[in-house]
Amino acid sequence: MREHKSMKELQQIITAYEKSKDRNQKTALATVVKVDGSAYRRPGARMLVTEDGELTGAISGGCLEGDALRKAQSVIFQQQSMVVTYDTTDEDDQKFGVGLGCNGIIQVLIEPIDLNDENNPVALLKIALEDRQSSTLVTVFSLKHSRSEQIGTRILLKGETHHGSSGKIDEKLLKQIHDDFNDIIDKQVNTIKIYPEFDDILVFYESIRPPVQLFLFGAGNDTIPLAKMAAILGWQIQLIDGRKNYATKERFPDVSAITTGPPAEVVKHLYPDSNSVAMLMTHNFEYELEVLNHLIPFNLPYIGILGPKKKTEKLISILRDKGVNVSMENIFAPTGLNLGAEGSEEIALSVLAEIKAVLNKKTPIFLREKSGPIHEEEK
């Protein structure tokens, strides 16, 4: 699984859109739909622009936003979408990449947002994020006719349900999109396909997964930094502990839910999916033993256990003696990357970095030692 976008950024864009809607303020959405070579942001990066120039989100590290803002305001005025090409490989265009050393070609789709259209691009994003079900957003554009009005972000495919309006898409192309979607959905990665038989139309199939859901067991002082940092990443945090006086909203204002009670009771309030992870930081061996026993059947991609290796070995040994089939593939203990971390804040950093690497199926290395580009190309 690869995430090219920040779920928090999408949530911020939706919030800004709702505010603009309340003010009856016109907006446009800029979306990176294709990148060749090096760029700060990847396809799926977005920026909402209001008619008075307010920006939410980002399509680059800051070098493209000014020009995109002007073009977005033109799109708002003309109420016609367009694709803009930024070529930072061209010496004449280096003003766009001068601050970052970008060396790529970035295609940005800019669409006016119709506040009265319940299927407009931001409305579809809102539907995508309203629950924890994965979805695929379909955006149709043309580089061959980039200045012409674009079909744009039209369809959201979520399970068996289709949202959006496909009225502007050729019927034969629409059938091809649905056929290709069936091959793409299981991969859960962003995919860009060109259709030569339809005048070189391109379709961006964007995988939108729910935010990471963190089951955080333990409400001691050392879990406070981890909860804060996970919230900054836009993760949904469920705090679980047996102590009601520790697990409070005052101590953990950023968590989505707090559950207190004995292990057998609290696990009844867990609703895990493929993007859910668990951290055991209770400092209570018996509590974690029972919690781990209940977590194992969920087959979470990541279960982190704070503490020395001997503690985890003892936990596993007791469970196996009880006949529990324990696989170590998804258990990370001692938890965290080897950063030389000391103190709860640095430990939180190493733990969150490890979780991100595991979910993205990456082996952590120094990027300077990685051959090829930082990001893989969308296929």
Side-chain angles (χ1 to χ4, degrees):
M1 188 273 289
R2 295 186 336 222
E3 286 185 298
H4 292 298
K5 65 197 75 62
S6 162
M7 290 300 108
K8 187 171 184 178
E9 183 175 79
L10 293 185
Q11 292 158 354
Q12 290 171 336
I13 285 173
I14 290 167
T15 300
Y17 162 76
E18 294 293 346
K19 288 181 181 177
S20 296
K21 195 174 180 180
D22 290 342
R23 298 195 296 255
N24 199 29
Q25 195 173 39
K26 293 179 180 178
T27 60
L29 185 69
T31 305
V32 177
V33 288
K34 193 173 188 297
V35 171
D36 297 296
S38 171
Y40 188 79
R41 300 298 305 273
R42 306 305 296 170
R46 287 182 172 81
M47 178 175 76
L48 186 75
V49 181
T50 66
E51 58 184 311
D52 62 357
E54 187 177 337
L55 305 179
T56 303
I59 56 170
S60 75
C63 49
L64 306 182
E65 275 70 8
D67 186 77
L69 164 62
R70 289 186 290 273
K71 288 185 168 62
Q73 289 178 316
S74 173
V75 163
I76 291 171
F77 178 74
Q78 297 177 14
Q79 286 297 293
Q80 180 173 311
S81 57
M82 68 166 73
V83 173
V84 182
T85 300
Y86 295 102
D87 186 354
T88 60
T89 65
D90 186 343
E91 288 185 4
D92 293 334
D93 223 8
Q94 277 298 307
K95 61 187 178 186
F96 295 121
V98 68
L100 293 169
C102 296
N103 189 31
I105 300 172
I106 303 124
Q107 314 286 355
V108 180
L109 169 67
I110 307 177
E111 303 172 89
I113 302 300
D114 183 353
L115 298 177
N116 298 315
D117 181 3
E118 61 183 11
N119 292 314
N120 73 50
V122 183
L124 292 180
L125 286 173
K126 188 176 179 181
I127 294 170
L129 269 62
E130 68 186 5
D131 57 29
R132 293 198 58 80
Q133 186 177 5
S134 297
S135 57
T136 300
L137 191 63
V138 177
T139 300
V140 183
F141 63 102
S142 171
L143 299 183
K144 190 174 181 180
H145 306 288
S146 61
R147 293 293 173 178
S148 301
E149 185 170 7
Q150 302 294 309
I151 294 173
T153 307
R154 286 285 160 184
I155 307 170
L156 180 74
L157 302 162
K158 197 170 192 179
E160 298 298 319
T161 307
H162 295 183
H163 302 272
S165 171
S166 56
K168 290 187 178 182
I169 304 176
D170 179 274
E171 284 188 18
K172 291 181 179 178
L173 173 59
L174 185 61
K175 182 181 183 304
Q176 189 64 55
I177 287 172
H178 283 290
D179 289 345
D180 290 338
F181 167 74
N182 292 329
D183 295 330
I184 290 166
I185 185 171
D186 292 334
K187 299 176 184 176
Q188 293 188 331
V189 295
N190 290 348
T191 304
I192 298 167
K193 294 198 70 169
I194 185 168
Y195 295 89
E197 65 272 34
F198 296 102
D199 200 21
D200 294 338
I201 280 280
L202 289 99
V203 178
F204 176 33
Y205 299 89
E206 181 181 2
S207 175
I208 300 181
R209 291 169 61 88
V212 175
Q213 180 173 229
L214 171 62
F215 300 131
L216 179 55
F217 291 87
N221 291 344
D222 58 341
T223 60
I224 292 174
L226 191 140
K228 286 181 178 178
M229 292 167 71
I232 289 171
L233 293 172
W235 294 8
Q236 292 178 349
I237 309 151
Q238 183 170 352
L239 180 69
I240 304 116
D241 200 293
R243 303 163 296 178
K244 290 184 178 180
N245 58 323
Y246 277 75
T248 65
K249 201 66 176 175
E250 289 73 27
R251 283 168 53 78
F252 295 88
D254 300 313
V255 303
S256 306
I258 296 175
T259 306
T260 57
E265 290 299 317
V266 296
V267 293
K268 295 177 183 177
H269 299 278
L270 305 184
Y271 301 96
D273 52 39
S274 61
N275 218 28
S276 300
V277 299
M279 268 301 304
L280 277 58
M281 302 177 66
T282 66
H283 302 283
N284 183 324
F285 186 88
E286 295 301 325
Y287 195 95
E288 292 188 0
L289 177 65
E290 195 172 344
V291 164
L292 187 58
N293 187 27
H294 288 289
L295 286 179
I296 285 169
F298 290 149
N299 197 28
L300 301 176
Y302 182 99
I303 299 174
I305 304 174
L306 186 71
K309 187 175 289 188
K310 285 186 177 181
K311 169 193 167 182
T312 300
E313 289 173 347
K314 187 177 178 182
L315 286 169
I316 302 303
S317 177
I318 294 173
L319 289 176
R320 285 177 174 164
D321 287 345
K322 291 181 177 182
V324 179
N325 182 19
V326 183
S327 169
M328 295 302 294
E329 188 175 343
N330 62 336
I331 295 177
F332 293 80
T335 185
L337 298 182
N338 184 17
L339 306 180
E342 293 185 19
S344 55
E345 289 83 3
E346 292 183 2
I347 290 170
L349 176 66
S350 75
V351 167
L352 295 175
E354 181 178 61
I355 293 173
K356 185 67 177 173
V358 170
L359 291 178
N360 283 356
K361 295 182 170 65
K362 298 293 183 185
T363 300
I365 60 169
F366 293 115
L367 280 177
R368 69 180 183 182
E369 295 174 2
K370 185 179 187 295
S371 59
I374 295 172
H375 302 284
E376 290 87 353
E377 296 293 328
E378 274 69 20
K379 302 299 182 185

